[in-house]
Amino acid sequence: VDKGPKGKRPKKRPQRTPSVGGIQVEGDRADIARHPLVWKDSFDEAVPAEFVANRADWDKVERQWRRRSTLRSFFLFLLFVGILGGGGWAGWKYRKQLLPNLFPQHSSMFRQEQEPNNNILQATFIPIGPVIRGELGERLKTRSSDRDWFRIALPNSGKYLLSIHVKPPETIDVELGLYRLRREKKGGRTIHRPIELLSLNNRLRGGDEFIRSYLFPGGHSYYILIRELVVPGEAPQEFRGHYKLQIKHESLQAKVEVEPSDQMGSAMAVSPGSTYWGYHDHNNDLDFIRLNIPTTRRNKRYSLRIYEVPGVRAEYLLLDAQGSIHKMQYRRYRRRVHLTPKLKALSFPRRQYVRDIRFSTNKHLYLRIKTQKGFQHRWPYRIVLKQR
């Protein structure tokens, strides 16, 4: 063996990978020599059939693509529904905090005003009996005072006679209102409309406001509004102190007027020989009294004596069932009258004006009493119906 110069073995040359037509071919040189690669005119014919995709293969791949696309869309849909459902659940759970106007909290009663209660849907739910504390705070507008709404609920059966009393701070002239809430459907929306039953402002600044007695049908909610009666040219007052609101149950007495009595349909009845007591509850008060006259073929003569209240001026009219004025004659004079123990306890004056009304009829009539000036909660007017 020729080791070459200096007795060293010659280095082996690395075997090159044979190539055919510029393409590297792996394999034994002798095997390649026996089976040379021959390229034909068409490249496809040179590729084995098992490496060529047919229609079935493409259909399988397209089905996989469609399946992946469907799964992706379904996942995104589930994600969207989950987000929407979670948001809806959270919105419903916290609806009272998010939308207090539409979902006021009336689950519990309060003995103190709960802000915000500036509209009827935010009214503070209060019990009947205890004294409720409130305050007219920040004005709503430049010429509009704070408004405090309260709600009471009555059981389903019967009727309830209640009185309402508000004692305001010394510097504020308050207005007291009584309302019902009417819900109306209009254009797919629910409209809440306050319906006024009675609103009064009898006294000036610092004066108490009364609803002496009001007969409420059960099974409904009623709303009380307290606000300042703003003097023209002055700004509404803010944070002048607390007022006190109290609603109490009263006893229903026979032949004693209760509100509402401002319509013929709600008039109290007086029969011949009986005495009826009524009150001028507020300025421009309107009372109707039904005179139960026995129906006869011929007219009979009657007299109606009215004991007026000192300091109050009122108008008296006789009306038939159609509202037409019935003919009458009256005489007004001042005299010394006999006082009952109840009137003496009220410090009723012994001398007062008396009005005698004479008329003839054979059917029932209505006495319309319109207060023109003044009001009185303690002293009643009295009516006595007699046949002459």
Side-chain angles (χ1 to χ4, degrees):
V1 180
D2 186 8
K3 297 182 179 179
K6 298 182 181 181
K8 294 183 179 179
R9 291 181 180 270
K11 296 180 180 180
K12 292 183 180 182
R13 296 181 179 179
Q15 295 183 358
R16 296 181 178 178
T17 303
S19 62
V20 179
I23 300 175
Q24 301 294 329
V25 180
E26 297 291 340
D28 186 61
R29 186 183 299 272
D31 185 58
I32 293 174
R34 288 194 301 268
H35 303 285
L37 293 175
V38 180
W39 298 100
K40 296 183 179 181
D41 297 337
S42 175
F43 178 79
D44 293 339
E45 295 180 1
V47 179
E50 59 270 17
F51 295 106
V52 179
N54 53 26
R55 183 70 259 173
D57 296 332
W58 281 108
D59 291 342
K60 182 179 180 180
V61 173
E62 290 176 354
R63 284 195 300 270
Q64 292 178 352
W65 289 348
R66 286 195 298 269
R67 190 180 299 112
R68 293 177 181 175
S69 178
T70 303
L71 290 176
R72 187 183 298 108
S73 300
F74 182 69
F75 174 76
L76 293 177
F77 174 76
L78 289 180
L79 181 61
F80 173 75
V81 171
I83 295 175
L84 188 63
W89 175 83
W92 178 255
K93 181 178 180 180
Y94 300 102
R95 63 191 183 279
K96 296 181 180 180
Q97 290 80 1
L98 297 175
L99 300 172
N101 293 351
L102 298 180
F103 302 98
Q105 299 185 25
H106 294 323
S107 57
S108 58
M109 294 185 182
F110 300 92
R111 297 194 178 188
Q112 188 168 349
E113 170 202 5
Q114 301 294 312
E115 290 285 0
N117 60 345
N118 298 326
N119 61 60
I120 194 169
L121 296 180
Q122 299 173 328
T124 302
F125 191 23
I126 60 175
I128 298 174
V131 176
I132 310 299
R133 287 168 56 88
E135 185 175 19
L136 294 175
E138 183 178 358
R139 64 178 70 101
L140 301 181
K141 297 179 181 179
T142 306
R143 298 298 179 186
S144 180
S145 73
D146 183 22
R147 299 180 181 181
D148 292 343
W149 285 91
F150 300 91
R151 182 178 80 96
I152 59 174
L154 297 176
N156 293 328
S157 60
K159 295 185 177 181
Y160 302 87
L161 186 65
L162 303 179
S163 63
I164 304 175
H165 176 206
V166 178
K167 184 175 182 58
E170 296 182 355
T171 61
I172 297 182
D173 183 12
V174 299
E175 181 181 6
L176 173 62
L178 181 62
Y179 292 81
R180 283 279 306 274
L181 180 62
R182 177 182 296 172
R183 295 177 174 85
E184 302 175 351
K185 294 288 186 179
K186 187 175 182 180
R189 299 182 303 165
T190 301
I191 300 177
H192 299 84
R193 192 185 308 276
I195 304 300
E196 181 181 296
L197 301 177
L198 182 63
S199 181
L200 53 89
N201 173 256
N202 288 330
R203 293 179 170 88
L204 301 178
R205 294 182 178 181
D208 296 8
E209 298 295 339
F210 290 92
I211 295 180
R212 180 188 54 83
S213 63
Y214 199 98
L215 194 61
F216 294 87
H220 303 283
S221 292
Y222 298 90
Y223 298 84
I224 295 96
L225 171 63
I226 298 177
R227 60 183 174 182
E228 180 185 0
L229 188 65
V230 181
V231 178
E234 295 185 9
Q237 301 185 62
E238 298 178 327
F239 304 104
R240 295 296 182 179
H242 290 88
Y243 60 81
K244 296 179 181 180
L245 168 66
Q246 187 175 26
I247 305 172
K248 296 192 302 182
H249 286 281
E250 302 292 342
S251 299
L252 186 61
Q253 301 177 12
K255 302 178 183 179
V256 178
E257 177 236 355
V258 296
E259 295 290 349
S261 60
D262 56 350
Q263 297 180 358
M264 289 185 176
S266 57
M268 299 290 288
V270 175
S271 301
S274 60
T275 302
Y276 176 87
W277 290 33
Y279 291 85
H280 303 286
D281 290 299
H282 53 88
N283 291 314
N284 301 318
D285 186 19
L286 182 62
D287 295 337
F288 279 92
I289 299 171
R290 188 176 187 268
L291 306 180
N292 284 343
I293 305 296
T295 302
T296 58
R297 293 184 178 180
R298 296 183 179 181
N299 290 344
K300 292 185 177 181
R301 296 183 299 173
Y302 295 90
S303 66
L304 186 65
R305 174 166 291 183
I306 303 174
Y307 296 88
E308 299 182 358
V309 177
V312 178
R313 186 173 72 246
E315 177 189 54
Y316 303 88
L317 292 176
L318 281 180
L319 306 176
D320 59 20
Q322 288 71 38
S324 301
I325 298 177
H326 188 78
K327 184 179 179 181
M328 66 177 185
Q329 296 177 345
Y330 77 91
R331 183 171 66 98
R332 184 173 182 264
Y333 54 95
R334 189 174 182 181
R335 56 170 291 187
R336 185 181 179 90
V337 299
H338 173 72
L339 299 180
T340 64
K342 183 177 180 180
L343 292 177
K344 290 181 180 179
L346 297 175
S347 301
F348 203 90
R350 188 172 293 275
R351 295 186 62 85
Q352 61 188 105
Y353 281 97
V354 177
R355 185 184 296 256
D356 286 333
I357 299 177
R358 295 185 176 186
F359 60 94
S360 297
T361 186
N362 62 349
K363 56 186 177 181
H364 67 266
L365 298 174
Y366 290 90
L367 175 63
R368 178 183 180 269
I369 303 176
K370 172 71 174 180
T371 305
Q372 296 178 327
K373 181 182 179 181
F375 62 91
Q376 182 58 251
H377 294 117
R378 297 178 63 249
W379 295 345
Y381 60 82
R382 291 174 293 158
I383 296 176
V384 181
L385 178 62
K386 293 182 178 181
Q387 183 178 350
R388 292 188 292 139

